[in-house]
Amino acid sequence: MTGTWDDEHVKALLHFPRFPIRLIQEDPWQTWIGERGGLKAVYDFIKSYPFSPSHRRILDVVLSNPEAVSDVYASQLNISRATYFYQLRDLVPALIQAFNQWELVPAANTDPSTATAQSQLNSLIAVHPTIPIPLTNLIGAEAQLRKVTHSILREEVRLLTLLGPGGIGKTRLAIELARHLTEHYGPNVCFVDLAEIKQAQHVGEIITQALGLKGQESTHLKAYLRTRSFLLILDNFEHLLPASELVSELLAAAPHLNIVVTSRAPLHIYGEHQYIVRPLDMPDTCNGKDLTLWSQSPAVSLFVQRAQAVNPGFVITNENLEVIAELCLHMEGVPLTIELTAFQTKYFSPQAILVRLSNAHYLNFLSQGPGHLPLHQQNIRAMHDWSYSILSSDLQILFAGLAVFPSGFSISAAESVCTALLPKVDIQIGLTALANQSMLEKHSEANGEPRFRMLSITREYALERLEETGKKFDLQMAHAKTFLEFVENCAAGLQTESQENSFTLLCQESANLKIAIQWCIDHLQGELGLRFIVSLWHYWRRIGDLRRGSLYAQAILEFTTDLKLTVRTKVLRLVGWLAFDVRNYTTMLWTFQNSLDLSRSMNDEYDAGLALHGLGELACLKGQYEQSNLLLEEAQQIFNQLNNGPQMAWSYHHLGQLQLCMGKLSEAQAYFEKSLLLFREKQSDSGFSVALASLGQCLFYRGLGDQAAPLFDEAVSIYTISDRHISSGKIYLP
């Protein structure tokens, strides 16, 4: 808001050093002060204006100690000098705003020499009696305020709906918009809070009362608005959507009327323009540690301001700033949740809050908030109860069922998981309805398909509701099966030309995959868990997270000892080959021997041969060359009998490696050449490239570097062309 007052002249008014009083003894400031009753009236105005508690403390100290230095003020406030300047940075804009608003309403028919600051403030309130006076500054939404201001002032925009979930800051933005637009509409601004209204048919009556009109008929309301340029703000409209018809009628009857609505759901009427209120910008902790930038983020600024309001001794330091940044990230930039978290600094340090949030449910911990908030926003559970209560019964059930998704999900995934829960409900329509109610966030994937997610705290509330349905286990099972089918399809894609697309899809669903596997472990779903491990192994290797895969695999292997399944033999070998990479002989022996025993108990010669490869390599590593040779030759005979060319090639390769370890270079070369020939015949790129490299290594050891070089070059080119990430786990397993 533009006006007479700015940073420099406000500081001169407060007698700050380096800002001499003569700055306000010039026009227009001298005239402005005189019109409002002189300096005493202005100081009285400052003392009576509803500033925040932290701002009030600073003002009291500054006004009682004019021209003191910052160290004196900080000492009297019992805060650090840095914290003093931090709070002052917010105080001065608040004073500028208060003075320039006061300027908008000159005292009519009042003798300036006798006017008091209180009467001036009363005049401001009398002209706009329905606009709430905020107790705190608007933080972090200045850009959004500019956007909505520009939007509502466009000729073609007569109805603007501010949309978003509970606690996102819709009401606060609307209040600031109303205050901002008094310059444009003068006294013709009315703010109507509908939170306590239960029935849509009473909306017209409440608006009429807010305008001070007599009668309850909508005709009186329309007649009043018909000739006026007027801004009507309807706050908390989501539970009164049938009253949208009245909004249409008012707009049709009053050509110069503009209406701003705050709601968790759009009105869906002709001419509606929608603006989604975004969360506060959060500290960017992904690109290095920059405490200066973190402290300037709107989310952190809000936290600090609210913390100092309930705990005047709260000081931001390098030590707690990092924790505050993490808390803001946990709260996902939602102003209400940040405010409720900051309220806890009355009792706990930021570090203690973070620990408690890690060990407890958000809904329980954030159960107490400032008393100035509306009843349905004084704690997180109340806010969600409000949103949940206005959903239809089917949407309530769907909302609860979607809690099994830890993060984003597609329409097809939601349909697969939730259709059994709601067989008569179109899940796609239900998702759209929940998004319209701001219970879900929606964005588009790269291919244009919509994707949905819940805020973390909203999901926690949904999980509680899911528990009440008695269907939690069934839905979690459906979730696990849905994503098992998904990863098995992607695993096949990773071996084809579409591997990049499959890899991208797996990365996108990483949160769902983690929770599905962990659920399999927690609920002893062995077969499902084993299939997840086999299908995701190459993906984990590619992202460099085989350690995670190994931990999952070992956890599942521990409780599946009685399962006679081929998939278990595969998981045993995967863990065994990973142990080979780090030369963990104990794990290699346990996994490969168990895989061999299980395969033979099921008369599975193919898997038995693969286990023999691992045991043969283990014996070679331990210097037990004769034992290694026996094991590898047994495997070679098995695959020869099965006429399995690729595994015969791997048998020759292992035998070649054994000869190489024994220093028998000629014998090693012969085995590698046999392996290379078979891999070429079977068109196995990965096997062929490994065989080339091994043969090149053998030739190099024999002093034939000129013959080895082209083999190495060809092996590297195959790796590059196929974009394969090679490791033992990939090389030795089909």
Side-chain angles (χ1 to χ4, degrees), residues 536-677:
L536 287 171
W537 197 261
H538 295 330
Y539 164 72
W540 284 324
R541 178 178 25 75
R542 178 161 178 181
I543 65 173
D545 202 12
L546 273 177
R547 182 177 179 276
R548 178 192 298 274
S550 178
L551 292 174
Y552 283 144
Q554 292 180 58
I556 296 170
L557 288 171
E558 285 180 6
F559 67 81
T560 56
T561 53
D562 295 333
L563 284 183
K564 287 192 173 184
L565 295 171
T566 299
V567 67
R568 190 169 190 275
T569 68
K570 292 182 178 179
V571 173
L572 284 164
R573 293 198 306 274
L574 286 170
V575 176
W577 284 119
L578 187 60
F580 170 85
D581 285 343
V582 296
R583 300 305 190 258
N584 185 333
Y585 297 167
T586 302
T587 300
M588 285 182 69
L589 177 60
W590 183 83
T591 53
F592 288 130
Q593 188 62 56
N594 273 276
S595 179
L596 178 62
D597 294 343
L598 181 57
S599 298
R600 284 178 169 165
S601 72
M602 297 186 296
N603 297 317
D604 188 337
E605 287 297 299
Y606 176 82
D607 278 350
L610 295 175
L612 287 168
H613 281 166
L615 289 170
E617 284 289 347
L618 173 60
C620 181
L621 287 174
K622 295 169 72 174
Q624 300 168 350
Y625 299 134
E626 184 176 349
Q627 176 68 9
S628 176
N629 189 67
L630 290 172
L631 293 167
L632 294 175
E633 284 189 345
E634 183 180 355
Q636 191 274 329
Q637 291 170 7
I638 289 174
F639 293 123
N640 187 43
Q641 291 172 0
L642 295 174
N643 196 28
N644 188 304
Q647 293 307 326
M648 288 172 60
W650 281 117
S651 294
Y652 288 137
H653 181 268
H654 290 304
L655 286 165
Q657 289 289 349
L658 172 61
Q659 300 302 317
L660 201 61
C661 289
M662 295 170 64
K664 298 180 179 181
L665 301 182
S666 298
E667 291 83 348
Q669 181 177 343
Y671 277 124
F672 289 142
E673 288 173 346
K674 288 182 180 180
S675 175
L676 189 63
L677 180 61

Side-chain angles (χ1 to χ4, degrees), residues 44 49 74 88 136 161 167 185 213 223 266 270 293 343 353 375 423 442 454 461 528 541 568 627-628 633 646 709:
D44 287 342
Y49 194 85
L88 186 66
T136 57
T161 304
Y185 291 94
L213 303 178
Y270 183 75
L293 286 178
F343 183 81
I353 293 173
L375 287 176
K442 182 177 78 70
M454 285 184 188
Y461 180 85
L528 295 183
R541 178 178 25 75
R568 190 169 190 275
Q627 176 68 9
S628 176
E633 284 189 345

Side-chain angles (χ1 to χ4, degrees), residues 272-491:
E272 178 184 28
H273 291 251
Q274 300 175 10
Y275 180 84
I276 298 177
V277 180
R278 311 305 306 176
L280 296 178
D281 289 338
M282 293 176 285
D284 182 6
T285 59
C286 297
N287 295 316
K289 185 175 180 179
D290 190 326
L291 297 181
T292 301
L293 286 178
W294 292 3
S295 66
Q296 294 171 356
S297 77
V300 171
S301 296
L302 177 64
F303 183 97
V304 172
Q305 185 195 77
R306 298 300 189 265
Q308 291 172 342
V310 297
N311 180 6
F314 183 85
V315 178
I316 188 171
T317 66
N318 288 343
E319 289 71 30
N320 67 20
L321 178 55
E322 192 167 356
V323 177
I324 293 170
E326 189 169 350
L327 286 170
C328 291
L329 292 174
H330 275 293
M331 298 302 112
E332 299 179 282
V334 177
L336 178 60
T337 58
I338 292 174
E339 182 166 351
L340 292 176
T341 305
F343 183 81
Q344 296 299 321
T345 60
K346 186 175 182 179
Y347 313 104
F348 306 104
S349 69
Q351 292 86 345
I353 293 173
L354 185 61
V355 170
R356 281 163 173 78
L357 284 176
S358 301
N359 297 331
H361 293 301
Y362 291 178
L363 293 173
N364 294 331
F365 186 72
L366 302 180
S367 60
Q368 183 182 8
H372 71 270
L373 294 172
L375 287 176
H376 65 278
Q377 290 191 342
Q378 287 186 8
N379 63 67
I380 294 296
R381 194 182 304 282
M383 182 186 76
H384 283 94
D385 283 341
W386 168 273
S387 298
Y388 184 78
S389 67
I390 61 179
L391 298 177
S392 67
S393 58
D394 283 344
L395 285 182
Q396 287 180 346
I397 295 172
L398 178 59
F399 169 73
L402 294 172
V404 297
F405 295 98
S407 185
F409 54 89
S410 64
I411 292 175
S412 60
E415 289 174 337
S416 178
V417 172
C418 296
T419 296
L421 184 67
L422 292 163
K424 296 182 180 180
V425 173
D426 187 315
I427 301 300
Q428 180 174 334
I429 293 175
L431 293 175
T432 302
L434 287 173
N436 280 336
Q437 290 285 349
S438 301
M439 301 295 274
L440 294 176
E441 292 183 347
K442 182 177 78 70
H443 64 273
S444 296
E445 299 177 0
N447 60 4
E449 286 294 309
R451 190 169 178 84
F452 300 87
R453 71 178 290 269
M454 285 184 188
L455 292 172
S456 298
I457 295 180
T458 301
R459 178 175 179 260
E460 185 178 306
Y461 180 85
L463 280 169
E464 287 190 356
R465 294 298 185 174
L466 180 58
E467 290 279 7
E468 297 170 1
T469 68
K471 299 291 185 181
K472 183 178 179 181
F473 180 88
D474 294 340
L475 283 168
Q476 289 176 322
M477 174 67 84
H479 177 273
K481 288 183 176 179
T482 293
F483 282 96
L484 177 59
E485 180 181 359
F486 166 77
V487 299
E488 288 179 338
N489 290 334
C490 287

Side-chain angles (χ1 to χ4, degrees), residues 26 39 139 148 164 258 427 525 621 668 721:
E26 303 171 351
L39 279 174
I139 294 179
V148 296
N258 291 88
I427 301 300
Q525 298 296 315
L621 287 174
I721 292 171

